[in-house]
Amino acid sequence: MERGDRGDSGRLSRRAALRRGVVAGVGALAGCSLFDGPATDEPGGRSGPDDVTPTETPVRSVSPTSETETPPSDPIDRESTPRDEAPTTSPDARSPPDEWRVVQADDAHTGWKPGVSAPESPVEAAWSVPLDGAVQRSVTVADGLAYAGSADGAVTAIDAAAGTERWTHERSDEVRATPTVADGVVYCGDETGDLTAVDAADGTERWSVSVAGDRAGPAAVRSGPVVADGTAYVGATDGSVAAIDAAAGDEQWSFDAGGFLGVVGPVALADGRVFAGSYAGRLYAVDAADGEEFWRYAGSNETRAWSGPTVADGVVYAGASPGGVAAVDALDGTERWRVSTDAPVFSSPAVADGTVYVGTDGGLILALSAEDGSERWRRETDGAVKSSPAVVDGTVVFGTTAGSVLALDTGAGDERWGFETDGAVTGSPAVVEGRVYVGDATGRLYAIGTGVE
């Protein structure tokens, strides 16, 4: 494997020493131990410490099964509160091939970008840029700029071609969320629970609004929003899912999904519905127009957490702790199938051409049939796969906590290439114009391409 260029591109500013001291030692494994506490059946319930320091999640010894799992004697129940109205269908929300404006490529978070190619082997860093804090989530790319949030409390814009810094917007706390770009504005959350809109051209602030409430326990925005039709939809660790006016920052509605550490993964938007998973072990579908609940799919006490859901072809796919992947009907919340995995799944699934690709904390990447969950192939990796896969033409790309970015053939799972980073990669890759953009736990941002560019 090739190691990324260690050269310094020259930061334009450095954070205050006090704030850097506060965030020092925070790992890039946000999301691994966030799901290790007890669940609660009541929306908004809280238990456990006020904050949780990320640690490695214990790996279960149970092997994945290639068979569709029969519901256990203590089944996963579905609590349904149906609405009379049928969902409206929204147009495909994928951005153009030369952009990756939101985590996992589109508003439904399929992770699939048709018509885009990954770099061919051999690969190396076209550039790498050091930031002042860990990049724990994903990089987005739009209008020639790559955007990343970092643990030093900043959102940074980098020239996607040259790797030079354009601007840095500083916040008062860590930025663990993925920036989302829409209509010339970058939307990003932080550990204070704020969602902030800044100008994509120069990083000046347009507005900032508190999304998380004042309940006990962490109250942060740790995932990138979905922005559509003038509204930003986002979840927070206090269990809230909110719709925010994208132009003015005014709250339009808020829904309580409950659970200690609440909604950590990104919400998905499809067919006029917002889909969210909560720490309470539930998956929700709410009306994008007013936040009213369509249905909820409730897990047993064993299924204590959900990663950010993925929606494709009328089905919602989500991973869970202590280990599994479920497929749920997007219209009424009924379970289609559920399979066990070797370890917790903090990677949001990617869905392409009838196949679900998902990583596990046990160091596996799995390809499952979207129809019934049966296993098509699996591949062992060098570390836990918390990175949500990105699928482009014939290739699935993801990162590992061992500090690798891997590209596999979608057909059989054969490795096409591997790239070694300086630290753990927990964010989902962005693949744009033959380059892969990722950040790592050391705070380095990479553009990975074919040969010397």
Side-chain angles (χ1 to χ4, degrees), residues 17 46 58 190 196 218 256 266 323 329 368 374 377 394 400:
R46 288 288 184 266
D190 61 37
T196 302
D256 187 0
D329 189 283
L368 309 174
S374 59
W377 55 257
T400 75

Side-chain angles (χ1 to χ4, degrees), residues 15-26 151-152:
R15 314 300 161 237
L18 176 60
R19 179 146 53 85
R20 292 191 62 175
V22 171
V23 302
V26 176
D152 64 326

Side-chain angles (χ1 to χ4, degrees), residues 4-105:
D5 175 21
R6 300 296 300 272
D8 192 335
S9 68
R11 293 283 293 162
L12 299 184
S13 62
R14 290 288 185 265
R15 314 300 161 237
L18 176 60
R19 179 146 53 85
R20 292 191 62 175
V22 171
V23 302
V26 176
L29 304 183
C32 56
S33 69
L34 300 184
F35 306 111
D36 289 340
T40 175
D41 290 332
E42 296 300 323
R46 288 288 184 266
S47 60
D50 288 346
D51 204 354
V52 179
T53 300
T55 59
E56 282 296 336
T57 304
V59 175
R60 298 173 66 216
S61 59
V62 180
S63 298
T65 176
S66 61
E67 300 295 328
T68 303
E69 184 175 272
T70 302
S73 56
D74 180 17
I76 294 180
D77 298 320
R78 178 179 61 83
E79 302 173 33
S80 181
T81 53
R83 300 279 304 281
D84 294 334
E85 306 89 342
T88 58
T89 301
S90 58
D92 186 280
R94 289 191 180 95
S95 56
D98 60 346
E99 297 175 348
W100 200 280
R101 292 180 174 269
V102 63
V103 62
Q104 289 190 277

Side-chain angles (χ1 to χ4, degrees), residues 315-399:
V315 181
V316 186
Y317 302 90
S321 172
V325 181
V328 178
D329 189 283
L331 182 63
D332 60 15
T334 55
E335 183 181 297
R336 295 283 190 92
W337 52 259
R338 178 177 179 266
V339 298
S340 294
T341 55
D342 66 319
V345 175
F346 299 115
S347 162
S348 295
V351 183
D353 284 332
T355 301
V356 179
Y357 302 91
V358 68
T360 78
D361 253 25
L364 288 178
I365 184 78
L366 302 172
L368 309 174
S369 166
E371 183 175 357
D372 59 14
S374 59
E375 186 176 308
R376 292 181 169 170
W377 55 257
R378 73 174 69 178
R379 184 174 180 86
E380 293 185 3
T381 72
D382 58 358
V385 183
K386 301 179 188 294
S387 167
S388 301
V391 183
V392 294
D393 289 349
T395 307
V396 54
V397 186
F398 58 95

Side-chain angles (χ1 to χ4, degrees), residues 431-451:
V431 186
V432 176
E433 296 187 319
R435 286 184 176 180
V436 175
Y437 297 85
V438 296
D440 71 12
T442 71
R444 188 166 285 271
L445 204 62
Y446 299 86
I448 304 168
T450 301

Side-chain angles (χ1 to χ4, degrees), residues 34-436:
L34 300 184
F35 306 111
D36 289 340
T40 175
D41 290 332
E42 296 300 323
R46 288 288 184 266
S47 60
D50 288 346
D51 204 354
V52 179
T53 300
T55 59
E56 282 296 336
T57 304
V59 175
R60 298 173 66 216
S61 59
V62 180
S63 298
T65 176
S66 61
E67 300 295 328
T68 303
E69 184 175 272
T70 302
S73 56
D74 180 17
I76 294 180
D77 298 320
R78 178 179 61 83
E79 302 173 33
S80 181
T81 53
R83 300 279 304 281
D84 294 334
E85 306 89 342
T88 58
T89 301
S90 58
D92 186 280
R94 289 191 180 95
S95 56
D98 60 346
E99 297 175 348
W100 200 280
R101 292 180 174 269
V102 63
V103 62
Q104 289 190 277
D106 56 54
D107 294 347
H109 300 320
T110 64
W112 181 27
K113 199 73 174 286
V116 174
S117 297
E120 298 290 337
S121 181
V123 297
E124 62 182 60
W127 52 257
S128 68
V129 176
L131 304 184
D132 283 348
V135 180
Q136 302 181 23
R137 299 294 184 179
S138 305
V139 179
T140 47
V141 182
D143 302 319
L145 295 179
Y147 302 90
S150 54
D152 64 326
V155 180
T156 303
I158 303 292
D159 186 291
T164 54
E165 184 176 312
R166 290 288 189 88
W167 54 258
T168 293
H169 177 84
E170 297 191 18
R171 305 301 304 156
S172 60
D173 209 334
E174 295 180 69
V175 178
R176 299 191 192 181
T178 299
T180 297
V181 188
D183 300 322
V185 180
V186 180
Y187 303 85
C188 199
D190 61 37
E191 288 298 285
T192 67
D194 290 347
L195 178 68
T196 302
V198 303
D199 192 286
D202 59 16
T204 56
E205 183 173 313
R206 294 193 174 188
W207 52 257
S208 186
V209 61
S210 178
V211 175
D214 55 0
R215 291 175 177 165
V221 175
R222 292 181 179 169
S223 60
V226 169
V227 181
D229 299 324
T231 303
Y233 303 93
V234 68
T237 60
D238 72 333
S240 62
V241 177
I244 306 295
D245 182 274
D250 299 325
E251 182 179 289
Q252 297 175 347
W253 54 257
S254 182
F255 175 81
D256 187 0
F260 180 74
L261 289 170
V263 181
V264 178
V267 302
L269 177 68
D271 297 329
R273 297 183 176 194
V274 177
F275 300 88
S278 83
Y279 181 76
R282 293 194 178 103
L283 190 64
Y284 289 90
V286 302
D287 195 320
D290 56 20
E292 291 192 48
E293 182 178 322
F294 281 107
W295 53 257
R296 69 180 70 177
Y297 172 82
S300 65
N301 287 333
E302 185 181 31
T303 307
R304 295 180 300 172
W306 294 98
S307 59
T310 296
V311 188
D313 300 320
V315 181
V316 186
Y317 302 90
S321 172
V325 181
V328 178
D329 189 283
L331 182 63
D332 60 15
T334 55
E335 183 181 297
R336 295 283 190 92
W337 52 259
R338 178 177 179 266
V339 298
S340 294
T341 55
D342 66 319
V345 175
F346 299 115
S347 162
S348 295
V351 183
D353 284 332
T355 301
V356 179
Y357 302 91
V358 68
T360 78
D361 253 25
L364 288 178
I365 184 78
L366 302 172
L368 309 174
S369 166
E371 183 175 357
D372 59 14
S374 59
E375 186 176 308
R376 292 181 169 170
W377 55 257
R378 73 174 69 178
R379 184 174 180 86
E380 293 185 3
T381 72
D382 58 358
V385 183
K386 301 179 188 294
S387 167
S388 301
V391 183
V392 294
D393 289 349
T395 307
V396 54
V397 186
F398 58 95
T400 75
T401 58
S404 295
V405 178
L406 300 175
L408 308 182
D409 177 80
T410 55
D414 297 328
E415 183 173 316
R416 292 191 164 182
W417 51 259
F419 177 88
E420 187 177 338
T421 62
D422 287 345
V425 177
T426 53
S428 178
V431 186
V432 176
E433 296 187 319
R435 286 184 176 180
V436 175

